[in-house]
């Protein structure tokens, strides 16, 4: 069986599952990604980090976002990204567990298809 990349629908389902309600649809995600690419192309990484902070209201510093992105690139692991968020006190243990459960649930749905 070939590994399939997650679709936009998979990401939307994950986001909505984590939030406990519908906060995003595929069109909104597409617009977010298109705008993020434009910002990255015109303003570089710093501009992209500012954009992510502004749009998501993430309670993080640009430095934390940068370190998290570096960490994810180095490890390629969702689990280690969750550990990073917990270590930075951006997620509680229970929030990280909820997120992990939502990721696993989404992955199971994907495998059944």
């Amino acid at each position: 069986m070939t590994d399939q990349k997650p679709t936009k629908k998979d990401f939307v389902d994950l986001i909505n599952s984590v939030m406990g309600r519908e906060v995003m649809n595929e069109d909104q995600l597409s617009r977010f990604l298109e705008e993020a690419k434009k910002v990255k192309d015109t303003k570089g990484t710093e501009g992209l980090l500012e954009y992510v902070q502004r749009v998501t209201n993430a309670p993080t510093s640009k430095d934390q976002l940068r370190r998290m992105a570096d960490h994810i690139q180095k490890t390629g692991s969702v689990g280690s990204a969750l550990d990073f968020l917990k270590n930075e006190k951006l997620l509680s243990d229970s929030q990280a567990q909820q997120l992990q459960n939502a990721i696993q649930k989404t992955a199971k749905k994907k495998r059944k298809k």
Side-chain angles (χ1 to χ4, degrees), residues 54 78 100:
R54 187 179 76 246
V78 172
Q100 184 63 39

Side-chain angles (χ1 to χ4, degrees), residues 36-79:
K37 183 178 179 347
K38 287 178 191 174
V39 169
K40 171 81 163 88
D41 290 346
T42 58
K43 298 183 180 179
T45 301
E46 287 297 311
L48 178 61
L49 295 175
E50 288 173 9
Y51 173 73
V52 170
Q53 279 183 304
R54 187 179 76 246
V55 171
T56 64
N57 292 317
T60 62
S61 68
K62 282 190 282 185
D63 184 55
Q64 285 173 315
L65 287 173
R66 186 179 300 107
R67 286 186 313 197
M68 185 174 72
D70 291 344
H71 185 73
I72 292 169
Q73 282 182 330
K74 287 177 187 171
T75 65
S77 166
V78 172

Side-chain angles (χ1 to χ4, degrees), residues 3-20:
D3 286 335
Q4 294 179 326
K5 290 184 178 181
T7 64
K8 285 181 186 171
K9 181 173 180 354
D10 293 328
F11 281 111
V12 166
D13 289 347
L14 175 62
I15 291 164
N16 290 334
S17 175
V18 167
M19 298 304 293

Side-chain angles (χ1 to χ4, degrees), residues 78-91:
V78 172
S80 67
L82 291 176
D83 289 340
F84 177 88
L85 292 170
K86 285 191 308 186
N87 291 339
E88 292 288 317
K89 306 284 190 257
L90 297 171
L91 285 180

